[in-house]
Amino acid sequence: MRAATFYDKGLEGASHHAFIPNVNTIDKLREVWPRLSSDEKKLFDVIARAYLAALMPDFATGRRPQRSTCMVSNSALAAVSPSSSAGAQHSRTGSPPTKKGDEAQLLPSLGNGETAQLHDPKIEDKETRPPPRYNEGTLIEAMQNAWRFVDDEVLRERLKAPRALARPATRAEIIGGLKKQGFLIAQGKHIVPTEAGLSLFGVLKQADPALVDPGVTAQLECLLDDVVIRQAGDGRCD
């Protein structure tokens, strides 16, 4: 049972109600169900699924990917997807949690050598989409989670909150300053770089890639840590 779902302590002293199926009348469900309206059935379905999801084990994919190979016109086609763990909550609620990418679809369980039929196969033409534009909220979030843009594991750990780029109180001011200097502009709900901003980035990157690398911030933070614990020698932070 998840504490975040049933948190009576946080509501102690307040009048509150939890919407859960009434287990005391579950034996009458077959009799009552036909008399419910369409909306009432949908409401009950949502409440029951949420209740079961709170009690059942979390959905998890297996460590070993599931691989299926089939023959189509004498050509072998292979498909790979993660395998779902037994007892996952989606087996009770009817559908797995929404996920993007390769984990959005799970292959059905098939035994070795088992014959299966492929119905209505289709080929879809798709294009790679660029990352979505930043708005002020997502840009601040990116600054807070700048470690995601760093490859070095040690520097990644050093940049994780609360040691991210800038401080919570100054991130919005930094964005505002870039707008005032003409390096960023608002385009609808998005924030986009201006030609001047892109040119400045290109000049800095060409002069020294470290100037536009968030990992350098982590290196400087490490030097400051050394100063605090008196391990840095003279000139180390010059």
Side-chain angles (χ1 to χ4, degrees), residues 66-68 81-86 90 106-112 114-116:
Q66 180 179 349
R67 182 182 181 89
S68 298
S81 82
S83 58
S84 59
S85 62
H90 76 86
L106 296 176
L107 295 174
S109 299
L110 295 174
N112 187 24
E114 183 177 350
T115 301

Side-chain angles (χ1 to χ4, degrees), residues 33-97:
W33 186 260
R35 301 201 300 266
L36 299 179
S37 68
S38 176
D39 287 342
E40 289 172 336
K41 290 178 180 178
K42 291 178 182 178
L43 178 60
F44 178 85
D45 184 69
V46 169
I47 294 173
R49 287 175 184 270
Y51 181 66
L52 290 175
L55 299 177
M56 296 296 105
D58 287 329
F59 175 81
T61 56
R63 292 180 178 270
R64 294 184 178 180
Q66 180 179 349
R67 182 182 181 89
S68 298
T69 304
C70 61
M71 299 298 296
V72 178
S73 300
N74 297 324
S75 298
L77 300 179
V80 179
S81 82
S83 58
S84 59
S85 62
Q89 62 170 278
H90 76 86
S91 62
R92 276 81 173 179
T93 59
S95 60

Side-chain angles (χ1 to χ4, degrees), residues 77-153:
L77 300 179
V80 179
S81 82
S83 58
S84 59
S85 62
Q89 62 170 278
H90 76 86
S91 62
R92 276 81 173 179
T93 59
S95 60
T98 302
K99 290 194 175 184
K100 298 180 180 179
D102 295 336
E103 295 187 10
Q105 295 180 349
L106 296 176
L107 295 174
S109 299
L110 295 174
N112 187 24
E114 183 177 350
T115 301
Q117 292 184 347
L118 186 63
H119 296 282
D120 193 22
K122 297 179 181 178
I123 298 177
E124 296 183 0
D125 291 330
K126 296 185 177 181
E127 297 180 356
T128 302
R129 296 183 178 179
R133 291 282 192 183
Y134 287 112
N135 56 43
E136 190 154 340
T138 57
L139 185 54
I140 290 176
E141 182 184 2
M143 296 172 70
Q144 181 180 347
N145 298 289
W147 58 271
R148 296 175 180 172
F149 307 101
V150 178
D151 295 328
D152 186 276
E153 287 296 330

